[in-house]
Amino acid sequence: QVQFVESGGGLVQPGGSLRLSCAAPGFTLDYYAIGWFRQAPGREREGVSCIGSHDGSTYYADSVKGRFTISRDNARNTVWLEMNNLKPEDTAVYFCAANLMRSRVAGAPVLGEYAYWGQGTQVTVSS
């Protein structure tokens, strides 16, 4: 019954920016670390960024460090992913999910620890 909802994707030119939002009606996010993932056609789903529930811990994939920023507001029950200086290789469907095993982020996400995947939001970077 629990399903996350991703929004904010779209078509942008290289160097552009987007802000993705993650929400889950009827589900309280503040217990869990939240992760953003992406999947391009023909490729495996990969972890992009994660954030702990309260401690400020974060993770960023090497490919997005310095360009993406993850944040959350537990009062709004929402998690965001700010994406700047977008590149064509960022093109993918972006998903968010909750880590049911832990509330802190200590490294690259383990896919099997995450649940409540949404339908994703498409990000296309092209000129």
Side-chain angles (χ1 to χ4, degrees):
Q1 292 183 343
V2 177
Q3 185 176 26
F4 282 14
V5 180
E6 303 92 343
S7 62
L11 173 64
V12 297
Q13 296 184 353
S17 299
L18 287 171
R19 190 178 76 158
L20 308 183
S21 297
C22 174
F27 181 82
T28 301
L29 300 180
D30 63 355
Y31 288 100
Y32 309 104
I34 304 296
W36 283 98
F37 302 79
R38 66 187 181 188
Q39 187 166 22
R43 301 186 64 181
E44 296 182 354
R45 190 168 299 186
E46 64 174 339
V48 177
S49 183
C50 306
I51 186 167
S53 62
H54 292 90
D55 68 340
S57 58
T58 58
Y59 162 83
Y60 295 96
D62 289 342
S63 60
V64 306
K65 284 182 178 178
R67 299 189 298 119
F68 291 11
T69 302
I70 191 170
S71 62
R72 69 189 299 162
D73 186 340
N74 289 337
R76 295 184 178 182
N77 207 38
T78 304
V79 177
W80 296 274
L81 183 67
E82 179 75 28
M83 306 186 297
N84 298 311
N85 192 25
L86 285 161
K87 303 176 180 180
E89 52 264 42
D90 295 318
T91 296
V93 178
Y94 284 70
F95 303 87
C96 62
N99 190 317
L100 302 185
M101 301 294 294
R102 67 190 78 246
S103 61
R104 296 182 176 182
V105 174
V110 177
L111 198 65
E113 295 181 352
Y114 286 79
Y116 307 141
W117 303 90
Q119 293 182 332
T121 185
Q122 177 71 49
V123 172
T124 302
V125 185
S126 177
S127 58

